[in-house]
Amino acid sequence: MQAEAALVASFVPDVTPEPPQFSLLARTLANQGKLEEALSCCERWIAAEPLDSGARYLRAMILEETGDTDEARRSLQQAIYLHPDFVLAHFALGNLARGARHMGEAHRHFDNTLALLNKLPATEPLPESDGLTAARLKEVVESLFVLENAP
């Protein structure tokens, strides 16, 4: 609650916040379970920075949490359109497809994820990941393939 109040207080009236402020506030609200407020923050962020793929990714994660997987998918596709190498957006699309039992689509997204991860240094934290490294995400994706092929 204190973090949210401090962030809201830092917003100057009639001045559009910078993307890091929007990101921090939206994440804080989402972590507190205030998903509608977090989504509203993402919408304001997108309106202020329409080419920011991170805003669309975070919006998708919140939408997925609310159960709106169709809109989450659209937001992830927009993030990838804006930033084709956005690894986590490819991975998230794979997870959405997997959850909908669209395995061919899921494999395509996971293959894209692995191809992008193979271009990155293994210890490099991925953007929008809160510290998840390329190597760790690669392990996760590969383990999904192993699980699917297990008898």
Side-chain angles (χ1 to χ4, degrees):
M1 293 283 203
Q2 291 175 340
E4 175 192 351
L7 285 167
V8 170
S10 74
F11 284 26
V12 178
D14 301 323
V15 175
T16 301
E18 294 294 316
Q21 290 173 302
F22 275 126
S23 177
L24 190 55
L25 181 57
R27 288 173 193 278
T28 299
L29 291 167
N31 288 339
Q32 293 176 352
K34 298 178 179 181
L35 300 179
E36 290 303 318
E37 291 175 52
L39 192 55
S40 176
C41 187
C42 285
E43 299 294 347
R44 287 183 55 214
W45 181 7
I46 291 168
E49 299 286 336
L51 301 179
D52 193 318
S53 59
R56 294 177 191 277
Y57 173 77
L58 184 55
R59 178 179 181 268
M61 296 299 93
I62 295 166
L63 286 164
E64 182 180 8
E65 188 69 25
T66 67
D68 192 347
T69 56
D70 289 337
E71 191 59 31
R73 184 176 294 106
R74 279 189 283 282
S75 197
L76 288 167
Q77 289 167 336
Q78 291 167 350
I80 290 171
Y81 177 80
L82 293 170
H83 184 186
D85 293 342
F86 197 155
V87 176
L88 286 180
H90 286 279
F91 179 69
L93 275 173
N95 280 328
L96 284 176
R98 186 171 176 256
R101 305 263 188 248
H102 299 142
M103 300 316 285
E105 180 184 346
H107 284 198
R108 182 173 49 86
H109 290 299
F110 291 144
D111 285 341
N112 289 340
T113 301
L114 287 174
L116 291 169
L117 288 169
N118 285 330
K119 297 177 184 177
L120 299 174
T123 58
E124 180 176 315
L126 300 169
E128 305 297 326
S129 73
D130 294 326
L132 180 68
T133 65
R136 180 65 186 125
L137 184 57
K138 186 175 178 180
E139 289 174 6
V140 169
V141 174
E142 289 171 345
S143 69
L144 289 173
F145 285 132
V146 169
L147 287 174
E148 287 177 8
N149 294 323

